[in-house]
Amino acid sequence: MIRLTALAVATSLFGGFVTPLALADKTSATAAIATEPFDQQAALRDLAAVAVQRTMEKIGHPDGLYLTPAFHIRLPAKLDTAANTLAANYASSLSTALELSLNRSAEALVHPAADYVLKILPTVTFADPERLMRGPPDAVTAALQKTIGPGFRKAMAALVPASAAQADAPGTLQRVQSRYEDITNTPFADFDLNGYILESFTTAFFASLAREEQN
């Protein structure tokens, strides 16, 4: 009941991303909620919209991911050997630069991702809204990701090559590979750069939405 009431108040106070509750007396939200019909779908969309907007503000800029431990994108485990080898040969700056480029590429995707979600959100219908309102604090984010996930990934996948190029991720990866192969005279691990950025970004983006929903 607490979560349901909080959603109702949030819908009225945030002005309604899709269609706000028609409050007769906006100076007394609590009284209005008691007399006006409660649009559960609108309340859930409003909650999701606020989470998206806050995510955009918090991680949609340089260092938004890189300096946020919970969302920082690290090198994949398959590149640990290369990173350790470079560090042992006074070339750790190369792997550090690669990790930074991964985060920069993902940070550049935050605003387009937020725009995509906000654009599609009015068309989203949440299954069993009553359960979501009484569910865990990240229930709406989980339901949203399940509903829009495939389309979201497809839209973001189309943008990854450009964001990676802007952050010089391919060039940085090539420098890491060249130095590693010069040192070890062995082939560098096969690494899907764009795929890794997409997966890491998607995880970080929805994790941020879940945190903002809880907040």
Side-chain angles (χ1 to χ4, degrees), residues 65-66 73-76 79 95-109 163-164 167-169 172-173 191-194 196-197 200-201:
L65 293 174
Y66 190 69
I73 298 173
R74 302 189 181 282
L75 294 180
L79 295 188
S95 54
T96 299
L98 177 58
E99 189 164 285
L100 176 61
S101 72
L102 297 177
N103 284 270
R104 288 289 184 266
S105 178
E107 288 160 359
L109 295 171
S163 72
D168 193 30
T172 307
L173 176 61
F191 176 47
D192 180 4
L193 177 66
N194 290 343
Y196 185 73
I197 291 172
S200 300
F201 167 71

Side-chain angles (χ1 to χ4, degrees), residues 32-121:
I33 291 168
T35 58
E36 295 292 333
F38 179 48
D39 187 337
Q40 295 177 329
Q41 293 292 341
L44 295 174
R45 293 189 192 107
D46 285 345
L47 178 64
V50 172
V52 170
Q53 291 160 352
R54 290 183 176 176
T55 285
M56 187 164 48
E57 294 169 0
K58 292 185 177 180
I59 66 173
H61 54 81
D63 289 334
L65 293 174
Y66 190 69
L67 294 183
T68 304
F71 307 134
H72 177 91
I73 298 173
R74 302 189 181 282
L75 294 180
K78 70 187 312 180
L79 295 188
D80 282 350
T81 298
N84 292 336
T85 298
L86 292 175
N89 288 271
Y90 310 102
S92 60
S93 61
L94 290 174
S95 54
T96 299
L98 177 58
E99 189 164 285
L100 176 61
S101 72
L102 297 177
N103 284 270
R104 288 289 184 266
S105 178
E107 288 160 359
L109 295 171
V110 174
H111 279 259
D115 289 343
Y116 175 87
V117 177
L118 292 176
K119 183 177 180 180
I120 200 172
L121 196 51

